[in-house]
């Protein structure tokens, strides 16, 4: 009996179904939402722990990434012991893509796509605990402090006055439809950051694998967002008259 057969195939879950039945029966690939059941069951085993040394944790991540691989150009799975990550490395929309799962917590340590950025730096953050930070003209020390300018609820740029100006300028060059997609997806996908410097686009996520209803669909959603950004920043500056610049919604 294989490792995952012994782990999932025979044991009855709290809902009275075997893990094999939850995965679609007969050992077939998991269907929609069945990964959430499998992840919850596996991570509640008494000998399961999110550590690199735990073979069940490594095997579980391998199972998820193996299921995801065909969606990303028949991607390969690579273990990175020094970082305690397991990577899925493939392609999406013609660009190299990487999902690195950190075994310490079962979270995505890196989600990134390689692509040239000819538009300008993107460094967008999301944190509902943060509040705007404006210039205080009456405070001589204030000029050394960073600003925080919001584009939507909980979503902002942060930095010096010059950095904020550059970030807002780059944001204004993005198509308006992409701006709306970014703001919506940051909330929907529970992203902490979206960044693009010279040669890539990267996302910083909050949810761990067991918190996702469908981790494969989640990875595809992240890939679609990065591909949309990639296609916009690869073009460089557009004609400012071609599309109206979006207005900032903040402070929020």
């Amino acid at each position: 009996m294989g490792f995952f057969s012994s782990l999932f195939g025979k044991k009855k879950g709290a809902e009275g179904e075997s893990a094999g039945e939850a995965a679609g029966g007969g050992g077939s690939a998991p269907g929609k939402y069945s990964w959430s059941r499998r992840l919850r069951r596996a991570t509640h085993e008494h000998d399961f722990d999110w550590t690199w040394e735990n073979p069940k944790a490594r095997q579980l991540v391998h199972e998820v990434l193996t299921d995801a691989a065909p969606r990303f150009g028949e991607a390969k799975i690579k273990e990175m012991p020094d970082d305690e990550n397991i990577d899925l490395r493939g392609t999406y929309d013609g660009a190299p893509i990487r999902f690195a799962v950190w075994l310490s917590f079962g979270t995505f340590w890196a989600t990134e796509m390689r692509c040239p950025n000819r538009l300008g730096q993107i460094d967008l953050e999301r944190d509902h605990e943060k509040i705007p930070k404006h210039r205080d003209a009456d405070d001589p020390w204030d000029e050394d402090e960073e600003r925080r300018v919001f584009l939507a609820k909980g979503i902002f740029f942060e930095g010096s006055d010059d950095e904020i100006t550059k970030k807002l300028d780059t944001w204004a060059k993005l198509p308006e439809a992409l701006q709306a997609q970014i703001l919506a997806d940051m909330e929907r996908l529970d992203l902490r950051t979206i960044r693009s410097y010279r040669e890539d686009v990267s996302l910083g996520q909050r949810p761990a694998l067991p918190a996702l209803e469908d981790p494969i669909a989640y990875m595809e959603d992240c890939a679609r967002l990065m591909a949309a950004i990639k296609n916009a920043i690869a073009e460089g500056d557009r004609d400012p008259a071609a599309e109206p610049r979006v207005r900032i919604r903040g402070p929020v």
Side-chain angles (χ1 to χ4, degrees):
M1 182 180 293
F3 179 89
F4 254 53
S5 296
S6 63
L7 182 59
F8 293 121
K10 300 297 182 182
K11 187 170 181 176
K12 293 285 182 177
E15 300 165 312
E17 62 181 349
S18 72
E21 291 166 346
S28 60
K32 187 177 182 181
Y33 302 130
S34 62
W35 266 119
S36 62
R37 299 187 188 105
R38 295 182 69 178
L39 286 160
R40 283 196 298 269
R41 288 189 178 118
T43 55
H44 282 82
E45 290 286 321
H46 69 89
D47 56 349
F48 186 95
D49 191 20
W50 282 116
T51 63
W52 179 261
E53 292 77 15
N54 189 297
K56 287 190 174 183
R58 295 217 310 276
Q59 181 67 24
L60 184 59
V61 172
H62 270 278
E63 290 274 334
V64 174
L65 298 184
T66 297
D67 195 24
R71 319 290 180 94
F72 302 102
E74 297 299 333
K76 64 181 179 180
I77 298 170
K78 187 173 183 177
E79 291 198 352
M80 309 295 292
D82 288 351
D83 297 323
E84 299 188 350
N85 296 334
I86 300 178
D87 284 14
L88 182 73
R89 299 184 179 186
T91 59
Y92 189 88
D93 196 40
I97 193 169
R98 172 190 179 217
F99 296 90
V101 179
W102 190 21
L103 265 292
S104 293
F105 295 97
T107 56
F108 290 101
W109 181 81
T111 299
E112 54 191 348
M113 178 176 283
R114 286 279 176 88
C115 61
N117 183 346
R118 300 185 178 94
L119 195 65
Q121 177 178 313
I122 297 173
D123 196 349
L124 195 56
E125 301 183 52
R126 173 178 165 271
D127 187 338
H128 286 282
E129 300 298 319
K130 301 295 186 183
I131 61 173
K133 293 169 66 176
H134 301 298
R135 173 179 286 281
D136 184 354
D138 297 328
D139 183 357
W141 300 103
D142 185 68
E143 64 183 21
D144 298 324
E145 296 179 2
E146 291 188 331
R147 315 289 169 217
R148 189 179 295 136
V149 176
F150 282 72
L151 303 176
K153 184 178 180 180
I155 301 174
F156 56 91
F157 289 123
E158 189 170 47
S160 66
D161 290 338
D162 288 344
E163 289 170 339
I164 292 290
T165 298
K166 291 177 182 177
K167 291 175 183 179
L168 289 173
D169 183 60
T170 301
W171 176 257
K173 295 173 184 176
L174 295 173
E176 191 168 348
L178 178 57
Q179 293 175 343
Q181 179 185 354
I182 289 172
L183 297 178
D185 279 356
M186 285 198 82
E187 195 68 30
R188 183 173 66 90
L189 301 174
D190 198 7
L191 303 181
R192 295 180 293 102
T193 60
I194 296 178
R195 294 193 170 103
S196 178
Y197 300 117
R198 296 186 62 183
E199 298 294 338
D200 65 1
V201 176
S202 66
L203 309 179
Q205 294 115 312
R206 295 185 191 279
L209 288 174
L212 299 171
E213 285 188 331
D214 187 341
I216 313 303
Y218 181 85
M219 292 168 70
E220 287 187 291
D221 284 345
C222 290
R224 276 190 287 270
L225 176 58
M226 290 190 293
I229 296 172
K230 168 197 60 107
N231 293 335
I233 64 178
E235 296 179 3
D237 288 345
R238 298 176 294 110
D239 181 356
E243 293 186 51
R245 293 190 176 187
V246 69
R247 292 184 178 180
I248 301 172
R249 302 180 191 178
V252 179

